[in-house]
Amino acid sequence: MILVTGALGQIGTELVLALQEKHGKDKIIASDLKEPENYDCKFEKCDILDNENYERINKENGVDTVYHLAAILSAAGEKNPDLCYDVNVKGLENVLKVAKKYNQRLFCPSSIAVFGPDVPRENTPQNVELNPKTVYGKTKVKGEELCDLYFNEHNIDIRGIRYPGLISWKHKPSGGTTDYAVEMYFDAIEKGEYVCFVNEDTRLPMMFMDDAIRATIQLMDAPIESLNYHSNYNLSSMSFSAKELADEISSHVDFNCIYKPDYRQDIANTWPISIDDKDARSDWGWEPKFDITKMTEEMITNLRRLNE
Ligand code: NAD
Ligand code: AKB
């Protein structure tokens, strides 16, 4: 059985569907803090900090693989650092202990937030000193370290990707810094106007969700002998400024983008502009399929359909 924690979030919403398609609906259990209504998957309500309940769910269901997505993202983390540390570090420790006890395979995502402002911001390499400025980034570095420890000392098969900002239409994200790129699409369609919380020159690494889900499954399917890294693969697809994205959306929709940077600008300023992902490409054959043009066509088509 496969368990997905944080299943109701931006990635979980789409990963559960993809895993259901690959393995069959009865093989997937979704889990999150609150039980949703009319949810089309076996569901277990669980706070990741409640280790007794978390272990019970794993034991009772014979879980052998976990996709651990429960987390607090960067903007929410700056507002509530204690919660961010608890969920992202203590929560992960619970997941790792259970993975060790039941010999599970584990997917645990990291983020471009592990990088700080002192690394090369263009084509940021896989191996650089990690010195993030945000609470979220620090918890993600700690997460990578814990995963490495469990891989090396306890022989647990753990894999993970440093996702860039993910753009999707099935779930509107909240709590992240890269959310502006998603919100811009939603508000362009729904309101014809978007107030963007970073300035127009802000350029960050981004990826369409379909590519991110494909990469996740591809990494989990890769033979372990081919992997030179485990919980921390750099992954890249596209980079654009907020203004370039607004221009691209404007070629489909008549909308007005206003730039009013807030505290999230400071977070964005410390992150890379683009990422060098040559190890993911050579170790497990990663190649993105979506660029900004193709992604925008998909986003606009689907959001228009949902708003009809
Ligand atoms: P999200 O915020 O959309 O979803 C996280 C989910 O975790 C939410 O549904 C939330 O209810 C749940 N959660 C929070 N606290 C919990 C707790 N105590 N117990 C159980 N569940 C809890 O996040 P996401 O975008 O889906 O991100 C998933 C993972 O991917 C995270 O580790 C995140 O750091 C990483 N990531 C995401 C992005 C992105 O752009 N979406 C980029 C880089 C890395
Ligand atoms: C965030 O902005 O916090 C996430 C991330 C890049 O980790 N989307």
Side-chain angles (χ1 to χ4, degrees):
M1 285 295 271
I2 297 173
L3 175 68
V4 181
T5 74
L8 302 182
Q10 192 194 7
I11 300 177
T13 299
E14 305 214 18
L15 185 62
V16 167
L17 296 173
L19 292 173
Q20 284 182 331
E21 194 169 321
K22 183 171 160 66
H23 300 281
K25 263 189 184 169
D26 54 344
K27 294 281 187 299
I28 313 300
I29 306 165
S31 170
D32 208 303
L33 280 174
K34 287 187 196 144
E35 180 136 22
E37 280 174 28
N38 305 321
Y39 188 66
D40 194 16
C41 185
K42 180 169 174 146
F43 190 89
E44 292 271 7
K45 187 173 149 185
C46 181
D47 183 337
I48 208 66
L49 295 169
D50 179 351
N51 47 357
E52 265 178 40
N53 191 28
Y54 181 72
E55 179 169 353
R56 176 198 61 78
I57 291 165
N58 281 272
K59 193 175 169 192
E60 281 181 10
N61 292 288
V63 171
D64 56 31
T65 305
V66 177
Y67 289 79
H68 174 48
L69 306 178
I72 303 295
L73 271 62
S74 57
E78 289 309 292
K79 295 272 180 208
N80 197 339
D82 291 344
L83 181 68
C84 185
Y85 182 83
D86 284 351
V87 174
N88 296 7
V89 179
K90 290 188 188 161
L92 173 60
E93 281 172 339
N94 288 341
V95 170
L96 287 166
K97 280 182 198 150
V98 170
K100 182 181 164 209
K101 189 160 174 186
Y102 297 96
N103 195 25
Q104 296 168 331
R105 299 182 72 226
L106 184 60
F107 178 81
C108 181
S110 186
S111 162
I112 54 163
V114 294
F115 300 112
D118 47 1
V119 301
R121 290 192 71 213
E122 299 225 23
N123 275 328
T124 306
Q126 175 77 41
N127 287 312
V128 283
E129 203 174 322
L130 301 179
N131 193 14
K133 295 292 168 225
T134 60
V135 177
Y136 171 68
K138 290 178 205 286
T139 66
K140 286 290 169 188
V141 173
K142 186 72 188 161
E144 288 187 2
E145 288 167 359
L146 283 168
C147 289
D148 271 354
L149 181 84
Y150 272 73
F151 179 85
N152 291 319
E153 309 264 310
H154 304 300
N155 231 3
I156 305 298
D157 181 354
I158 306 179
R159 306 177 186 200
I161 287 169
R162 290 171 176 160
Y163 291 126
L166 301 181
I167 298 182
S168 63
W169 55 269
K170 288 187 187 150
H171 179 95
K172 193 174 179 180
S174 65
T177 301
T178 56
D179 293 359
Y180 69 85
V182 191
E183 290 173 2
M184 198 181 287
Y185 285 103
F186 276 78
D187 283 13
I189 296 288
E190 288 165 13
K191 304 177 190 160
E193 181 170 285
Y194 179 57
V195 181
C196 183
F197 58 75
V198 296
N199 67 40
E200 63 179 28
D201 298 324
T202 305
R203 187 180 291 275
L204 290 175
M206 300 281 180
M207 179 175 286
F208 189 47
M209 187 61 85
D210 292 33
D211 269 344
I213 298 294
R214 199 168 47 80
T216 304
I217 291 175
Q218 208 178 332
L219 174 58
M220 285 301 270
D221 283 349
I224 197 150
E225 318 78 67
S226 67
L227 302 181
N228 289 300
Y229 299 90
H230 298 284
S231 59
N232 59 347
Y233 270 101
N234 274 12
L235 200 71
S236 170
S237 158
M238 58 184 112
S239 290
F240 45 74
S241 69
K243 167 88 166 59
E244 284 163 357
L245 181 62
D247 288 346
E248 187 69 33
I249 296 174
S250 294
S251 67
H252 296 264
V253 189
D254 187 17
F255 98 109
N256 184 26
C257 191
I258 300 156
Y259 299 90
K260 284 197 179 158
D262 65 15
Y263 69 100
R264 290 168 281 191
Q265 181 72 55
D266 296 336
I267 301 177
N269 289 346
T270 69
W271 287 357
I273 289 169
S274 59
I275 298 288
D276 178 353
D277 65 352
K278 65 173 178 310
D279 291 291
R281 287 172 190 254
S282 61
D283 288 3
W284 44 278
W286 161 245
E287 207 176 325
K289 287 194 175 161
F290 286 84
D291 59 13
I292 186 172
T293 308
K294 201 169 159 202
M295 174 177 74
T296 301
E297 282 164 12
E298 281 289 306
M299 288 293 291
I300 300 285
T301 305
N302 284 293
L303 289 174
R304 274 205 177 119
R305 188 171 47 76
L306 291 179
N307 279 277
E308 267 166 15

